Amino acid sequence: MNEVLLRSLTPSVLGVLVRRGADFAAAEDAVQDALVEAVRVWPAEPPRDAKGWLITVAWRRFLDATRADAARRRREERVDEEPAAGPAPAVDDTLQLYFLCAHPSLTASSAVALTLRAVGGLTTRQIAQAYLVPEATMAQRISRAKRTVSGVRFDQPGDVATVLRVLYLVFNEGYSGDVDLSAEAIRLTRQLTAVIDHPEVAGLLALMLLHHARRAARTAPDGSLVSLAEQDRGRWDTRSIAEGVEILQAALARDRLGEFQAQAAIAALHADAPAAEETDWVQIVEWYDELARLTDNPVVRLNRAVAVGEADGPRAGLAALAALDDSLPRHTAVAAYLHERDGDLATAARLYAAAARKAPNLAERDHLTRQAARLNARRDR
């Protein structure tokens, strides 16, 4: 098979799909799928019209993806914005699809990426941001995953750990990103807790409920972000907090600690504080230490630096931050906050402005820009 031919045809096939009405990102995914199929089929059955074959297959894949996305959105529309407490509703096939996409023939990272793209509805860019890798790297990972499973039967479900990771990332994107998927992630995690008795499954549900409880207070009437310290805690959903804490306590009592339980414990400590200044930061640092031991995740260590800055003072937080790679997402924003706490307003304002330029979404960019403007105004007085 002539790979040079495939590469040369890709732009024109992409152009045809866009002219037919496909948006560019969806067209790219469809053409990528068609190329994977060509690699699999053409050696045995070379087409007479290579370009026509690619256009036909890519257009079909685009239509299939569009129908799947529409079906997913219809499922989301059936979910109330605030997920109801109590037993899980009747199980549909979505959770089963999560397990099937987490196929044993894939590595865990590839299975997560494929599931997020195919079932979760996230874009390649959103998945890449969640994994802290370039978009091109994630596109290649998803493409390899599709190629791996193109000739296998989806009759062997993947493991629970991979599915939990997918649900966690879907919830995070819905909670803080461009797409509202958090309620759907909670619904599916409730279903999972109904069929799998494991403390980490319960820990993930508790974590989701505790974060979702703050949803109403996270934004101002004009849509701008409100930091945790400034949120109106009277708007937090006490029912969800109580349910999350109860689920977490039962999970921790089983003495099989995992990362989702540790994250939920941190969220519970925030929820338990009547006011921001009453937060038990010392205990939060201890939980971040546990979480770092479990995951060795650089983002965990970044969040720990903030907690250290609150518990032991901003200079201690800056010392913890200095040990981390400054290319980490939100590293600059954390540095700005700690410098502000330390009284260095000039440095903090400069760093807030720099962090705004790196922000992954418009709401966060605007929030950081306002922080820089606020400090500059204070300095000019």
Side-chain angles (χ1 to χ4, degrees):
M1 185 192 64
N2 192 333
E3 294 186 9
V4 175
L5 173 63
L6 281 178
R7 286 197 295 271
S8 67
L9 289 174
T10 297
S12 59
V13 174
L14 184 60
V16 170
L17 265 64
V18 171
R19 287 194 295 274
R20 287 185 179 183
D23 68 83
F24 191 79
E28 278 190 316
D29 285 339
V31 171
Q32 189 177 74
D33 286 347
L35 294 175
V36 171
E37 186 68 5
V39 170
R40 188 178 71 86
V41 171
W42 283 13
E45 302 176 27
R48 293 182 179 178
D49 179 4
K51 180 178 176 181
W53 188 97
L54 285 171
I55 290 171
T56 299
V57 173
W59 184 247
R60 286 174 182 166
R61 294 299 172 90
F62 166 72
L63 292 177
D64 288 344
T66 301
R67 294 188 188 105
D69 186 60
R72 176 183 59 79
R73 292 184 185 279
R74 285 195 296 273
R75 288 195 299 270
E76 290 173 16
E77 289 168 0
R78 293 197 296 266
V79 181
D80 292 332
E81 183 172 319
E82 296 300 325
V91 177
D92 59 23
D93 63 351
T94 308
L95 190 58
Q96 183 64 16
L97 289 174
Y98 273 68
F99 273 95
L100 292 178
C101 281
H103 197 273
S105 63
L106 298 172
T107 63
S109 60
S110 294
V112 170
L114 178 62
T115 313
L116 290 171
R117 186 72 188 91
V119 187
L122 274 63
T123 65
T124 302
R125 176 182 60 81
Q126 290 167 329
I127 302 168
Q129 287 176 348
Y131 268 91
L132 311 180
V133 299
E135 185 174 349
T137 301
M138 184 53 66
Q140 292 174 354
R141 185 179 299 177
I142 294 172
S143 182
R144 285 195 300 269
K146 291 177 179 177
R147 201 158 48 236
T148 298
V149 301
S150 62
V152 302
R153 294 179 58 191
F154 279 82
D155 56 0
Q156 294 177 276
D159 66 6
V160 175
T162 300
V163 174
L164 287 179
R165 177 63 50 192
V166 175
L167 288 168
Y168 172 71
L169 291 173
V170 169
F171 176 83
N172 272 356
E173 190 59 45
Y175 185 72
S176 60
D178 305 322
V179 185
D180 184 6
L181 295 171
S182 53
E184 172 73 349
I186 291 174
R187 183 180 73 87
L188 293 173
T189 307
R190 284 195 188 281
Q191 290 183 2
L192 197 58
T193 59
V195 295
I196 297 179
D197 181 23
H198 191 285
E200 269 296 82
V201 179
L204 178 58
L205 179 58
L207 174 64
M208 289 178 174
L209 290 169
L210 289 163
H211 277 299
H212 201 72
R214 303 199 298 260
R215 181 188 182 95
R218 289 188 69 247
T219 54
D222 63 359
S224 59
L225 292 180
V226 179
S227 68
L228 177 60
E230 297 173 332
Q231 287 175 17
D232 178 0
R233 299 184 179 219
R235 300 184 65 197
W236 289 0
D237 182 350
T238 55
R239 185 187 64 175
S240 291
I241 290 173
E243 184 187 5
V245 169
E246 182 180 0
I247 292 170
L248 173 63
Q249 288 175 338
L252 291 174
R254 300 174 67 174
D255 199 23
R256 293 167 62 190
L257 183 64
E259 62 172 298
F260 295 124
Q261 294 169 75
Q263 287 191 58
I266 293 168
L269 286 166
H270 283 298
D272 187 55
E277 56 272 17
E278 298 179 58
T279 304
D280 188 347
W281 286 106
V282 172
Q283 196 173 166
I284 287 176
V285 171
E286 291 173 357
W287 276 112
Y288 271 122
D289 288 339
E290 288 286 348
L291 191 54
R293 180 182 60 79
L294 289 165
T295 67
D296 195 27
N297 186 313
V299 175
V300 169
R301 298 188 184 280
L302 184 68
N303 291 332
R304 179 185 177 277
V306 176
V308 169
E310 299 289 355
D312 301 327
R315 295 195 178 182
L318 286 167
L321 187 66
L324 303 176
D325 186 345
D326 61 9
S327 67
L328 276 172
R330 298 185 174 88
H331 184 286
T332 308
V334 170
Y337 174 75
L338 291 171
H339 276 290
E340 180 184 356
R341 289 281 319 281
D342 195 38
D344 186 351
L345 302 190
T347 299
R350 176 177 57 78
L351 290 172
Y352 274 130
R357 292 191 291 271
K358 303 175 186 177
N361 56 63
L362 182 61
E364 191 167 334
R365 186 192 72 189
D366 289 348
H367 173 73
L368 292 166
T369 300
R370 280 193 296 272
Q371 298 306 307
R374 173 179 58 81
L375 293 187
N376 284 325
R378 284 177 58 185
R379 292 171 57 221
D380 292 340
R381 288 173 187 167

